[in-house]
Amino acid sequence: MIRLTDIRKSFGPHEVLRGISESFGAGEVTCIIGPSGSGKSTLLRCINFLEHPTGGHIEIAGERAYYDVVNGRIRLHAEPRIAAVRRKLGMVFQDFALFPHLTATGNVTEGLVHALGMAKDQANEIASRMLTRVGLADHASHYPDELSGGQKQRVAIARSLAMSPKAMLFDEPTSALDPELVGEVLDVMKTLSEEGMTMVIVTHEMKFAQEIADRVIFMDKGVVVEKGTPKQIFESPRQERTQGFLKRVMR
């Protein structure tokens, strides 16, 4: 579903991603773990082109995405082509990124109406289905400041699902939540995995990664240090950097 080849990203002289090559299969759930500053979130943002890689290339659903490299230089695709590829990916951020002046329904319909040109009635129907799917049918008319953090994140998930993505990207979706609210978001994500949604999840929730992931990737300092099944990574990591990280976070 998603193929990355030698992805690099620099901010000035600082190279954040140092040649990442990975494939994420259809229906596969991949959790990316690692210390802060290891490049995990930057990698997700490159996948959906919120950050422009400085090297390498990306394929989404078998199609070269966003740009071509011609004579060593990046040549962007036309904007409509970029937008069409990005619509194949749903993105859920750690800070919800909801519009405060719109209801839960309004937040879900915004992209449908303004990005896809969908009729309002049809968009409202889809929003109703998606909010029901994440357990918020009774909160459709609520504004973000009337919702808990967990409810806001579930609205954000519903908003992404409404666009019928081929894959979902989650950037630490529970890191801004109070501990008692984490479970309600993770439950929605577990349901998505059971439904066969392709998901790439940057997370600090190690137990969740153990339960839900088909594959776990450990990143540090802009590279993939180790990858494998949850059992391999959490029970018998081979690399010292992985072992040290897990000792710190699994106490």
Side-chain angles (χ1 to χ4, degrees), residues 153-164:
Q153 194 60 291
R154 285 188 281 156
V155 172
I157 293 172
R159 177 180 57 188
S160 291
L161 291 174
M163 303 294 284
S164 299

Side-chain angles (χ1 to χ4, degrees), residues 12-28:
H14 181 47
E15 192 172 29
V16 178
L17 298 176
R18 300 191 288 149
I20 304 290
S21 295
E22 286 295 333
S23 295
F24 305 92
E28 181 183 59

Side-chain angles (χ1 to χ4, degrees), residues 35-63:
S36 297
S38 60
K40 307 182 301 296
S41 293
T42 300
L43 182 63
L44 278 198
R45 293 173 67 85
C46 284
I47 291 173
N48 78 344
F49 216 50
L50 288 173
E51 296 288 354
H52 293 197
T54 47
H57 63 261
I58 301 169
E59 294 178 19
I60 308 292
E63 177 184 359

Side-chain angles (χ1 to χ4, degrees), residues 62-239:
E63 177 184 359
R64 181 68 64 90
Y66 312 129
Y67 60 87
D68 294 303
V69 179
V70 181
N71 296 325
R73 301 185 66 178
I74 289 177
R75 181 176 295 174
L76 295 181
H77 295 165
E79 187 57 39
R81 183 177 171 187
I82 291 175
V85 173
R86 291 186 69 189
R87 282 197 292 270
K88 296 178 181 179
L89 303 173
M91 181 81 175
V92 177
F93 302 90
Q94 54 185 295
D95 60 355
F96 322 131
L98 299 180
F99 294 108
H101 64 290
L102 296 178
T103 64
T105 294
N107 269 281
V108 177
T109 61
E110 184 75 2
L112 297 173
V113 173
H114 295 286
L116 300 185
M118 188 177 293
K120 189 77 174 191
D121 287 349
Q122 184 182 2
N124 284 335
E125 181 181 337
I126 292 173
S128 178
R129 290 205 312 269
M130 293 303 108
L131 290 171
T132 299
R133 189 174 178 184
V134 299
L136 290 175
D138 294 338
H139 294 74
S141 62
H142 288 52
Y143 289 87
D145 64 2
E146 300 172 317
L147 301 173
S148 70
Q151 290 167 340
K152 291 176 186 176
Q153 194 60 291
R154 285 188 281 156
V155 172
I157 293 172
R159 177 180 57 188
S160 291
L161 291 174
M163 303 294 284
S164 299
K166 300 290 187 184
M168 291 281 288
L169 312 176
F170 293 87
D171 187 8
E172 298 185 19
T174 61
S175 65
L177 302 181
D178 293 332
E180 66 269 21
L181 301 176
V182 169
E184 64 190 65
V185 174
L186 298 184
D187 285 345
V188 171
M189 295 171 67
K190 287 177 184 177
T191 299
L192 291 177
S193 74
E194 292 165 1
E195 294 172 353
M197 175 64 74
T198 305
M199 298 197 289
V200 184
I201 306 165
V202 169
T203 185
H204 290 299
E205 300 285 343
M206 298 298 138
K207 289 183 179 179
F208 175 69
Q210 285 178 285
E211 291 176 12
I212 194 174
D214 297 303
R215 193 164 59 105
V216 176
I217 293 174
F218 172 66
M219 286 183 62
D220 192 18
K221 297 180 180 178
V223 299
V224 172
V225 176
E226 189 167 355
K227 56 189 174 183
T229 65
K231 183 177 179 65
Q232 290 169 338
I233 296 299
F234 290 105
E235 296 183 15
S236 54
R238 294 184 295 272
Q239 301 299 320

